[in-house]
Amino acid sequence: MSGAVGKPAGGPYEWLQRGLALLEAGEAAAAATLLARAHAEEPGSTGVLEALARARYDAGDVAGAAEAFRALTSARPADDYAHFGLGLSLSRLGQFGLAAEHLAMAHAMRPDRPEYADRLRQVRATIRARQSPETP
């Protein structure tokens, strides 16, 4: 820790590096806390924003992840991973229509990524199941 109470030592770059290491080690909640600090200091850094979105998702803060991924898609509209992350987050929040839009965008950008196609299929199947009348 540095001299300031509650402020980690170093700066945004070091916080990003430590946050990524924590995320890799499975410490997503700790990573999210550190990466939120880095994002507050460097709000224009899309690399920090992406890491924060991932950490929030892995920590179970799906709404926070969706918010971060949404900001990332605004900053980098051609980023397939940002759309995929937003689609995953929205599907976990039960917003299947919006999730399908972002997953379809990610799949259109990177049709070679099987996980994009798989998740899009799952969300579309959920939408169809919710729209079809129940059979006895």
Side-chain angles (χ1 to χ4, degrees):
M1 282 285 178
S2 70
V5 176
K7 184 175 181 181
Y13 178 77
E14 290 83 12
W15 301 337
L16 171 61
Q17 296 308 307
R18 287 199 310 260
L20 290 171
L22 286 166
L23 191 57
E24 181 71 24
E27 299 290 337
T33 299
L34 192 56
L35 292 165
R37 168 73 73 153
H39 179 61
E41 294 286 326
E42 294 288 337
S45 170
T46 58
V48 170
L49 186 58
E50 180 180 315
L52 175 60
R54 289 177 44 218
R56 285 179 173 169
Y57 187 88
D58 288 356
D61 178 8
V62 182
E67 177 185 321
F69 278 122
R70 187 173 283 112
L72 191 58
T73 61
S74 293
R76 298 190 321 211
D79 184 333
D80 62 287
Y81 181 76
H83 286 281
F84 179 68
L86 181 53
L88 283 180
S89 300
L90 291 170
S91 71
R92 294 234 356 240
L93 292 169
Q95 298 176 28
F96 299 107
L98 285 174
E101 291 176 25
H102 287 282
L103 292 168
M105 181 74 72
H107 178 58
M109 291 178 192
R110 292 289 308 272
D112 59 312
R113 302 286 305 260
E115 64 273 24
Y116 291 7
D118 291 344
R119 191 62 189 144
L120 177 58
R121 264 192 303 279
Q122 291 171 4
V123 166
R124 286 180 172 164
T126 299
I127 291 170
R128 280 192 305 278
R130 289 172 177 242
Q131 291 173 342
S132 66
E134 291 186 30
T135 54

